[in-house]
Amino acid sequence: MIGTDSHTPNAGGLGMCAIGVGGADAVDVMAGLPWELKAPKVIGVHLTGKLTGWTSPKDVILKVADILTVKGGTGAIMEYYGPGLDSIAATGMATIANMGAEIGATCTTFPYTSRMAEYLKATERAKIASAADSFKEHLKADAGCVYDQVIEINLSELQPHVNGPFTPDLGNPIAKLGENAKKNNWPVEISAGLIGSCTNSSYEDIARSASLVEQAKKAGLKFKIPYLVTPGSETVRATITRDGFTKTFEEAGATVIANACGPCIGQWNRHDVPEGKANSIVTSYNRNFAKRNDGNAGTHAFVTSPELVTALSIAGRLDFNPLTDSIKLPNGKDFKFSPPKGDELPKLGYDKGEDTFQAPPKSGAGVSVDVKKTSDRLQLLEPFAKWDGKDLTGMPVLIKAKGKCTTDHISMAGKWLKFRGHLENISNNMLIGAINAENGETNKVKNLVTGEFGKVPDVARQYKKAGISWIVIGDENYGEGSSREHAALEPRYLGGRAIVVKSFARIHETNLKKQGMLPLTFVNVSYYIFHIIVDQIIVLLFLTLLLFIFFPFLFSHLTMTRLQVKTRLTLLA
Amino acid sequence: VLKNRPLTLAEKIIYGHIDDASIEPVRGKTYLKLRPDRVAMQDATAQMAVLQFISSGLPKVAAQQRSTVITLSQLRMEQLLTLPLQRRRTKRFTTFLLQRAQSLEWVFGAQEAELFTKSFLRITPFLAAS
């Protein structure tokens, strides 16, 4: 399956290859075109031992991220195997598969296990379980197959991990977290704990977290800090409410919010911490880039299991290790947690909650699509102008982006989400998060025709109005992050023709091509620095019949020095 | 073309969806043309994808199975606390996606109040079979 969401691989928990793509790729497949992918490498993760006590499926992927780093899975499918799988629920495997996105993996898959069968039966799909059982010998790797790389993890020895801050691959075993926090000057006091999200909101996750809250409540303890619970589905919301977990959380001071993406995608609207103030939060989410959850650059976000988020939110400190440490009670006694416990699947079955499914009609012919001309959220697309066959010359550099330039920098989320269906309006966020290498500022670039400074989208519109095409220069892994194609549509819409970078993230490079932008990479990455001394680049396009097309770039400067820079365009993917 | 070599599970799944079975896949090298079984979308990304599909002028989607899930990824905190009300407020774009999906006869909607990727696990896989 392909899905227009970078966490599509979540479905790997049921042994699928589910891959995140841009919308244009989805459109291609819907239009009947095949979908192109470089044959992925396969990284094997051999699991031995057994998950017990505090250690959870989340710790498996946090450990793998620590080993492989955020780039380590690029171009590869993660394939887990071995006897350790027997101690991981289907929803736990989904947690592991979900966060494969954080190491750049194409997707993650698991061989068919009895735990998948149990999950299928519990979700009214017993027929599929028996179909899978009938040929389960094929739903796993062949004996003697070869992996491109093998990682060994003994689950019995695996320590609970808390990864971060600011990147999901900085692993801190819980026993080291306090020490690392002090050493690195991370705020030891925690300001909020958040559980749930698509990564970690299974019945088991919630049940195990609630068991810790129950223990604390018996000792007279409550959450020390704001604690937010996001159920992952209407089913989980209804089931945990029926089974009393929602009440348990709320009585201890938690807030159970709607089963929506919520703070995990930045929809928090947080007011309790002033902008820029250093503070630490712990979440059971998947991403922890700066500003991801609350928009505050001072927030140090750590990702961990929901169980650890819960224990740490009751203690309120990063230097509390629930496996060994105690909390002093008002009566002078010490309270120590027992390891979390919880059913993998609800004993009473799932409560499906409110049924909002809307089945498609037998025939779609009678359904009309209503897009109002006055809508500020939806706008039908106009085709982009065709190439006139002429070389592209004299194009100014709109912005030379310095350092990390993710899809969030190119097309921000948050308040802009509502314009995702309106290209003209959402284009007002184009590259407003990117740092201009010329002046170190965001959203302030020079119009090379008028000499005046303006906001990036404004200057782009000025060029467009004057009939001038422009280019963007970028750094490494340009366009990493989400699959959103707005990051490619917006520059095309505002008159951009080429994005020239040291390297691209896979989905973004494809998205640019689909929208008719030239994604070019410097043949020699040191060319990136030359632009510091030039105001204008003249691009000459020479088409060749070779597999790779090389683009000689002529740099012109006031002194009339010229520099030829070669760039590369991949024709595939 | 695989010369009976033992395969990883990932290879079995991916190679099982190759469009042209005469090409020998070499990991990390060959570009494969694949035929995915399903296409899935959520509200934040589906809008632009559906608008692009409208531009193609095609009356129906070609993929064998397709599903779109409306999720509520766009709700902000105060809205998260009052979900039923938000269902009505977000009706504008859900109506657009719903109409388009219905005109294309997509398996649509699944759970309105569902985290997109969670719904894959719960609903999307093997939907037709179930």
Side-chain angles (χ1 to χ4, degrees), chain A residues 324-341:
Chain A
T324 54
D325 299 347
S326 304
I327 298 174
K328 210 29 129 204
L329 298 173
N331 63 14
K333 284 185 182 163
D334 283 330
F335 165 74
K336 190 169 172 299
F337 282 107
S338 309
K341 277 187 187 147

PDB file of all heavy atoms in Angstrom, chain A residues 324-341:
ATOM      1  N   THR A 324      14.271   1.903  39.701  1.00  0.00           N
ATOM      2  CA  THR A 324      15.081   1.789  40.916  1.00  0.00           C
ATOM      3  C   THR A 324      14.731   2.826  41.989  1.00  0.00           C
ATOM      4  O   THR A 324      14.944   2.590  43.164  1.00  0.00           O
ATOM      5  CB  THR A 324      16.578   1.973  40.572  1.00  0.00           C
ATOM      6  OG1 THR A 324      16.721   3.221  39.856  1.00  0.00           O
ATOM      7  CG2 THR A 324      17.096   0.840  39.710  1.00  0.00           C
ATOM      8  N   ASP A 325      14.214   3.980  41.566  1.00  0.00           N
ATOM      9  CA  ASP A 325      14.049   5.086  42.519  1.00  0.00           C
ATOM     10  C   ASP A 325      12.668   5.085  43.182  1.00  0.00           C
ATOM     11  O   ASP A 325      11.719   4.506  42.669  1.00  0.00           O
ATOM     12  CB  ASP A 325      14.243   6.434  41.809  1.00  0.00           C
ATOM     13  CG  ASP A 325      15.621   6.561  41.207  1.00  0.00           C
ATOM     14  OD1 ASP A 325      16.493   5.721  41.542  1.00  0.00           O
ATOM     15  OD2 ASP A 325      15.843   7.484  40.392  1.00  0.00           O
ATOM     16  N   SER A 326      12.586   5.774  44.314  1.00  0.00           N
ATOM     17  CA  SER A 326      11.317   5.917  45.029  1.00  0.00           C
ATOM     18  C   SER A 326      10.914   7.384  45.091  1.00  0.00           C
ATOM     19  O   SER A 326      11.745   8.274  44.911  1.00  0.00           O
ATOM     20  CB  SER A 326      11.458   5.398  46.459  1.00  0.00           C
ATOM     21  OG  SER A 326      11.898   4.068  46.447  1.00  0.00           O
ATOM     22  N   ILE A 327       9.625   7.596  45.318  1.00  0.00           N
ATOM     23  CA  ILE A 327       9.113   8.958  45.510  1.00  0.00           C
ATOM     24  C   ILE A 327       8.765   9.112  46.990  1.00  0.00           C
ATOM     25  O   ILE A 327       8.100   8.243  47.572  1.00  0.00           O
ATOM     26  CB  ILE A 327       7.861   9.203  44.638  1.00  0.00           C
ATOM     27  CG1 ILE A 327       8.211   9.067  43.151  1.00  0.00           C
ATOM     28  CG2 ILE A 327       7.258  10.588  44.920  1.00  0.00           C
ATOM     29  CD1 ILE A 327       7.014   9.138  42.214  1.00  0.00           C
ATOM     30  N   LYS A 328       9.209  10.195  47.610  1.00  0.00           N
ATOM     31  CA  LYS A 328       8.914  10.454  49.028  1.00  0.00           C
ATOM     32  C   LYS A 328       7.454  10.907  49.165  1.00  0.00           C
ATOM     33  O   LYS A 328       7.023  11.853  48.515  1.00  0.00           O
ATOM     34  CB  LYS A 328       9.847  11.559  49.462  1.00  0.00           C
ATOM     35  CG  LYS A 328      10.360  11.689  50.905  1.00  0.00           C
ATOM     36  CD  LYS A 328      10.541  10.560  51.782  1.00  0.00           C
ATOM     37  CE  LYS A 328      11.925  10.519  52.434  1.00  0.00           C
ATOM     38  NZ  LYS A 328      12.274   9.149  52.818  1.00  0.00           N
ATOM     39  N   LEU A 329       6.718  10.227  49.996  1.00  0.00           N
ATOM     40  CA  LEU A 329       5.322  10.600  50.229  1.00  0.00           C
ATOM     41  C   LEU A 329       5.229  11.577  51.404  1.00  0.00           C
ATOM     42  O   LEU A 329       6.144  11.630  52.231  1.00  0.00           O
ATOM     43  CB  LEU A 329       4.495   9.344  50.537  1.00  0.00           C
ATOM     44  CG  LEU A 329       4.431   8.302  49.420  1.00  0.00           C
ATOM     45  CD1 LEU A 329       3.744   7.033  49.903  1.00  0.00           C
ATOM     46  CD2 LEU A 329       3.715   8.871  48.203  1.00  0.00           C
ATOM     47  N   PRO A 330       4.119  12.325  51.478  1.00  0.00           N
ATOM     48  CA  PRO A 330       3.966  13.291  52.578  1.00  0.00           C
ATOM     49  C   PRO A 330       4.071  12.626  53.958  1.00  0.00           C
ATOM     50  O   PRO A 330       4.536  13.233  54.916  1.00  0.00           O
ATOM     51  CB  PRO A 330       2.552  13.849  52.359  1.00  0.00           C
ATOM     52  CG  PRO A 330       2.261  13.624  50.921  1.00  0.00           C
ATOM     53  CD  PRO A 330       3.002  12.388  50.526  1.00  0.00           C
ATOM     54  N   ASN A 331       3.664  11.362  54.046  1.00  0.00           N
ATOM     55  CA  ASN A 331       3.729  10.675  55.347  1.00  0.00           C
ATOM     56  C   ASN A 331       5.125  10.130  55.662  1.00  0.00           C
ATOM     57  O   ASN A 331       5.304   9.370  56.611  1.00  0.00           O
ATOM     58  CB  ASN A 331       2.685   9.558  55.407  1.00  0.00           C
ATOM     59  CG  ASN A 331       2.934   8.476  54.357  1.00  0.00           C
ATOM     60  OD1 ASN A 331       4.018   8.409  53.746  1.00  0.00           O
ATOM     61  ND2 ASN A 331       1.949   7.618  54.151  1.00  0.00           N
ATOM     62  N   GLY A 332       6.096  10.505  54.835  1.00  0.00           N
ATOM     63  CA  GLY A 332       7.474  10.108  55.101  1.00  0.00           C
ATOM     64  C   GLY A 332       7.863   8.773  54.499  1.00  0.00           C
ATOM     65  O   GLY A 332       9.033   8.425  54.421  1.00  0.00           O
ATOM     66  N   LYS A 333       6.855   8.009  54.053  1.00  0.00           N
ATOM     67  CA  LYS A 333       7.160   6.705  53.453  1.00  0.00           C
ATOM     68  C   LYS A 333       7.651   6.871  52.019  1.00  0.00           C
ATOM     69  O   LYS A 333       7.469   7.914  51.403  1.00  0.00           O
ATOM     70  CB  LYS A 333       5.906   5.826  53.469  1.00  0.00           C
ATOM     71  CG  LYS A 333       5.599   5.252  54.842  1.00  0.00           C
ATOM     72  CD  LYS A 333       4.426   4.293  54.748  1.00  0.00           C
ATOM     73  CE  LYS A 333       4.091   3.757  56.135  1.00  0.00           C
ATOM     74  NZ  LYS A 333       2.749   3.168  56.166  1.00  0.00           N
ATOM     75  N   ASP A 334       8.251   5.805  51.493  1.00  0.00           N
ATOM     76  CA  ASP A 334       8.724   5.812  50.106  1.00  0.00           C
ATOM     77  C   ASP A 334       7.753   5.029  49.231  1.00  0.00           C
ATOM     78  O   ASP A 334       7.282   3.957  49.627  1.00  0.00           O
ATOM     79  CB  ASP A 334      10.106   5.175  50.006  1.00  0.00           C
ATOM     80  CG  ASP A 334      11.188   6.121  50.480  1.00  0.00           C
ATOM     81  OD1 ASP A 334      10.996   7.338  50.336  1.00  0.00           O
ATOM     82  OD2 ASP A 334      12.206   5.632  51.011  1.00  0.00           O
ATOM     83  N   PHE A 335       7.467   5.585  48.048  1.00  0.00           N
ATOM     84  CA  PHE A 335       6.635   4.865  47.076  1.00  0.00           C
ATOM     85  C   PHE A 335       7.512   4.433  45.909  1.00  0.00           C
ATOM     86  O   PHE A 335       8.218   5.238  45.321  1.00  0.00           O
ATOM     87  CB  PHE A 335       5.501   5.757  46.561  1.00  0.00           C
ATOM     88  CG  PHE A 335       4.833   5.213  45.325  1.00  0.00           C
ATOM     89  CD1 PHE A 335       3.964   4.123  45.413  1.00  0.00           C
ATOM     90  CD2 PHE A 335       5.096   5.760  44.073  1.00  0.00           C
ATOM     91  CE1 PHE A 335       3.358   3.613  44.267  1.00  0.00           C
ATOM     92  CE2 PHE A 335       4.489   5.250  42.924  1.00  0.00           C
ATOM     93  CZ  PHE A 335       3.623   4.171  43.031  1.00  0.00           C
ATOM     94  N   LYS A 336       7.456   3.149  45.603  1.00  0.00           N
ATOM     95  CA  LYS A 336       8.204   2.646  44.439  1.00  0.00           C
ATOM     96  C   LYS A 336       7.228   1.923  43.506  1.00  0.00           C
ATOM     97  O   LYS A 336       6.390   1.145  43.956  1.00  0.00           O
ATOM     98  CB  LYS A 336       9.302   1.684  44.902  1.00  0.00           C
ATOM     99  CG  LYS A 336      10.267   1.312  43.800  1.00  0.00           C
ATOM    100  CD  LYS A 336      11.498   0.572  44.347  1.00  0.00           C
ATOM    101  CE  LYS A 336      12.369   0.039  43.221  1.00  0.00           C
ATOM    102  NZ  LYS A 336      11.711  -0.928  42.337  1.00  0.00           N
ATOM    103  N   PHE A 337       7.342   2.239  42.207  1.00  0.00           N
ATOM    104  CA  PHE A 337       6.470   1.595  41.221  1.00  0.00           C
ATOM    105  C   PHE A 337       6.806   0.119  41.071  1.00  0.00           C
ATOM    106  O   PHE A 337       7.969  -0.276  41.126  1.00  0.00           O
ATOM    107  CB  PHE A 337       6.671   2.244  39.837  1.00  0.00           C
ATOM    108  CG  PHE A 337       5.975   3.564  39.654  1.00  0.00           C
ATOM    109  CD1 PHE A 337       6.707   4.749  39.625  1.00  0.00           C
ATOM    110  CD2 PHE A 337       4.609   3.626  39.480  1.00  0.00           C
ATOM    111  CE1 PHE A 337       6.082   5.974  39.428  1.00  0.00           C
ATOM    112  CE2 PHE A 337       3.969   4.841  39.279  1.00  0.00           C
ATOM    113  CZ  PHE A 337       4.708   6.018  39.260  1.00  0.00           C
ATOM    114  N   SER A 338       5.763  -0.708  40.845  1.00  0.00           N
ATOM    115  CA  SER A 338       5.977  -2.056  40.309  1.00  0.00           C
ATOM    116  C   SER A 338       5.915  -1.927  38.789  1.00  0.00           C
ATOM    117  O   SER A 338       5.317  -0.980  38.284  1.00  0.00           O
ATOM    118  CB  SER A 338       4.864  -3.002  40.764  1.00  0.00           C
ATOM    119  OG  SER A 338       4.693  -2.931  42.144  1.00  0.00           O
ATOM    120  N   PRO A 339       6.473  -2.879  38.052  1.00  0.00           N
ATOM    121  CA  PRO A 339       6.423  -2.765  36.582  1.00  0.00           C
ATOM    122  C   PRO A 339       4.975  -2.694  36.083  1.00  0.00           C
ATOM    123  O   PRO A 339       4.078  -3.261  36.706  1.00  0.00           O
ATOM    124  CB  PRO A 339       7.102  -4.048  36.102  1.00  0.00           C
ATOM    125  CG  PRO A 339       7.961  -4.476  37.244  1.00  0.00           C
ATOM    126  CD  PRO A 339       7.250  -4.049  38.488  1.00  0.00           C
ATOM    127  N   PRO A 340       4.743  -1.993  34.985  1.00  0.00           N
ATOM    128  CA  PRO A 340       3.382  -1.839  34.455  1.00  0.00           C
ATOM    129  C   PRO A 340       2.794  -3.167  33.978  1.00  0.00           C
ATOM    130  O   PRO A 340       3.527  -4.057  33.568  1.00  0.00           O
ATOM    131  CB  PRO A 340       3.567  -0.886  33.268  1.00  0.00           C
ATOM    132  CG  PRO A 340       5.002  -1.006  32.888  1.00  0.00           C
ATOM    133  CD  PRO A 340       5.751  -1.332  34.135  1.00  0.00           C
ATOM    134  N   LYS A 341       1.471  -3.251  34.079  1.00  0.00           N
ATOM    135  CA  LYS A 341       0.776  -4.454  33.595  1.00  0.00           C
ATOM    136  C   LYS A 341      -0.438  -4.023  32.795  1.00  0.00           C
ATOM    137  O   LYS A 341      -1.036  -2.989  33.093  1.00  0.00           O
ATOM    138  CB  LYS A 341       0.294  -5.289  34.784  1.00  0.00           C
ATOM    139  CG  LYS A 341       1.362  -6.183  35.349  1.00  0.00           C
ATOM    140  CD  LYS A 341       0.760  -7.101  36.406  1.00  0.00           C
ATOM    141  CE  LYS A 341       1.881  -7.872  37.097  1.00  0.00           C
ATOM    142  NZ  LYS A 341       1.584  -8.145  38.485  1.00  0.00           N
TER     143      LYS A 341
END
